[in-house]
Amino acid sequence: MTTHRIAQLPGDGVGKEVVAEARKAVDALGLAIEWTHLPWGSDYYLEHGTMMADDWVETLRAQDAVLMGSCGWPTVPDHVTVWGMTLKIRQTFDLWANVRPARLLPGIPTKLAGRTPADIDMIFVRENTEGEYAGVGGRVHQGHPSEIGIETSVFTRAGIDRVVRYAFGLAQQRKRVLTSATKSNASRFGYVLWDEVVEDVGADFPDVRIDRVLVDALAARMVTNPGSLDVVVASNLFGDILTDIAAAIQGGMGMSASANLAPGSSAPPFFESVHGSAPDIAGKGIANPIATIWSAVLMLEHLGEPAAAARLMAAIEAVCLHGPRTGDVGGTAGTSEVGDAVVARLRASA
Ligand code: ATP
């Protein structure tokens, strides 16, 4: 049995509560896992003046995967938490693919009237390191009426190629349609390059149909005809926005899992729920742990444990269908009650 080295990085707020449940579920699978608990985040910052320990790069590099909670807390400025942890990790390890399944599970209410799980089953692949969030730009004449803010998008052929290629690979394993979102009618450079690279890479995947859609039309299509979408690839900004719509229609933030990957590199992949630290409900024991447990499913798939991943996903599906469920998805249960139910389903299926 291969031993997997996994770091547990709960971070802030509800992150601590939901990661504990995900760990409980993964432990119930009986795999050989060497866990490392990393107490980093806003509390760590308030005590040490940094979000992560000084040796964070070596510590994380030694892991096969990182199961992460969320980072951010009202007592620490957002730019400190985000740039001190999430973005720092993503950029240092060049985790260029953000993969988010958006599937409505039976038993979970959706905001889309009349839609069923058969209509909502998509995977988003968001470019994670460049594009509109490249961080290139500046401000001049600050405070004057003539002040200027310039934000430049950076699209590279290599950056687009790798993320699009990954998405084509996923599409090939699913329905063999890849939807690519751009805005290449109004923006004439970066998105036009994106479209060209999609065509070029598509030549290596002749069995996958390319569905090129303008992002505004795609946003509408997600709510009017979600069943027409399967694998969607998008730039950093567009992926950010589209996946929030996706989260909403699959049952909300408490249901939305994600992976941050750099396939083909030795960088440790990160698995986390899409939601933040949710200070409004933190400490109350009512956060939905499913998004994080589902992220652990993605982690197990990535670690080459497909059978364990499938067992855990089946347990999640059973709990979503039969309960208990937390308040955000129509139930009354607490966080650990849901986690316990997932563990009970796993034990029953052992
Ligand atoms: P951040 O800025 O870090 O993203 P935030 O509080 O602005 O934090 P989220 O943490 O994503 O944004 O939460 C948005 C809302 O969704 C919260 O107010 C919370 O009530 C709800 N929410 C988030 N995560 C969960 C969860 N796991 N279970 C239930 N509700 C959640």
Side-chain angles (χ1 to χ4, degrees), residues 187-325:
S187 296
R188 291 180 296 159
F189 308 110
Y191 299 130
V192 174
L193 173 63
W194 180 288
D195 283 347
E196 286 173 15
V197 176
V198 167
E199 290 297 326
D200 291 349
V201 176
D204 294 338
F205 298 85
D207 53 337
V208 177
R209 181 167 65 81
I210 300 170
D211 174 33
R212 261 179 49 190
V213 190
L214 295 174
V215 67
D216 42 352
L218 181 57
R221 196 167 132 195
M222 283 179 67
V223 294
T224 55
N225 190 11
S228 68
L229 296 165
D230 191 53
V231 180
V232 181
V233 66
S235 64
N236 216 333
L237 168 67
F238 293 165
D240 191 5
I241 298 168
L242 295 173
T243 51
D244 260 32
I245 303 177
I249 65 178
Q250 76 168 133
M253 287 295 184
M255 295 299 301
S256 194
S258 80
N260 290 284
L261 312 170
S265 92
S266 62
F270 274 69
F271 301 86
E272 58 180 345
S273 58
V274 170
H275 64 77
S277 59
D280 54 332
I281 57 166
K284 296 184 179 163
I286 57 170
N288 188 349
I290 295 293
T292 307
I293 304 175
W294 194 337
S295 303
V297 171
L298 304 180
M299 177 177 80
L300 293 168
E301 285 169 354
H302 196 82
L303 290 171
E305 297 284 359
R311 272 186 69 207
L312 184 52
M313 196 63 218
I316 290 174
E317 287 172 12
V319 170
C320 288
L321 180 59
H322 301 291
R325 290 177 285 265

Side-chain angles (χ1 to χ4, degrees), residues 30 97 105 115 126 171 176 185 195 230 241 264 295 304 332:
L105 301 185
R115 295 293 177 185
R126 166 185 168 189
R176 299 188 175 179
N185 55 348
D195 283 347
D230 191 53
I241 298 168
S295 303
T332 54

